[in-house]
Amino acid sequence: MAVEDRIMAIWAQIPANGRLLTVDEEIHHIALLAGVADQRVISLSLDAMERTFDRLAAVMLGRPAAREGIPEDASFAARLLILREFMHHLAFAEITIVSPDSLK
């Protein structure tokens, strides 16, 4: 709820038709875990991210993380949760992930 409250507090500041873009390597890793092919610029859809979040939820309910192929660390879980809440509540259909190398 704390994450959702923070996100909803900035809702009015998000421009209409805005795009979500990142160079964050951990978000890139989430996209790869979601099955997105590795390229210099990739797009992680809301649906693919939600499926990955569902895998995390299964782990939280007792399924082994190794079976789901996702990390067990808290920072991964926190990052995925924040990304999920951000995309879901602010209605972003996708996030574009740009390799930091392509910006050089």
Side-chain angles (χ1 to χ4, degrees):
M1 291 303 285
V3 172
E4 185 175 329
D5 290 345
R6 292 281 199 164
I7 288 169
M8 295 312 292
I10 64 165
W11 177 80
Q13 299 171 27
I14 304 298
N17 299 318
R19 294 185 61 201
L20 198 52
L21 176 74
T22 188
V23 296
D24 186 89
E25 291 181 22
E26 296 299 324
I27 300 294
H28 180 258
H29 184 65
I30 289 171
L32 297 180
L33 290 172
V36 176
D38 195 10
Q39 299 177 31
R40 297 189 112 198
V41 177
I42 59 178
S43 178
L44 175 61
S45 71
L46 177 61
D47 288 340
M49 185 279 310
E50 288 283 3
R51 286 191 302 273
T52 306
F53 185 80
D54 289 345
R55 290 165 53 199
L56 175 64
V59 169
M60 295 300 149
L61 292 173
R63 184 174 291 164
R67 183 172 173 192
E68 289 299 324
I70 61 172
E72 293 185 69
D73 60 280
S75 64
F76 170 81
R79 187 172 271 105
L80 182 55
L81 171 67
I82 292 167
L83 178 64
R84 188 247 179 218
E85 293 296 309
F86 199 86
M87 291 179 72
H88 179 77
H89 291 291
L90 298 178
F92 283 102
E94 66 182 11
I95 181 170
T96 301
I97 304 128
V98 179
S99 169
D101 295 336
S102 67
L103 300 175
K104 294 178 183 177

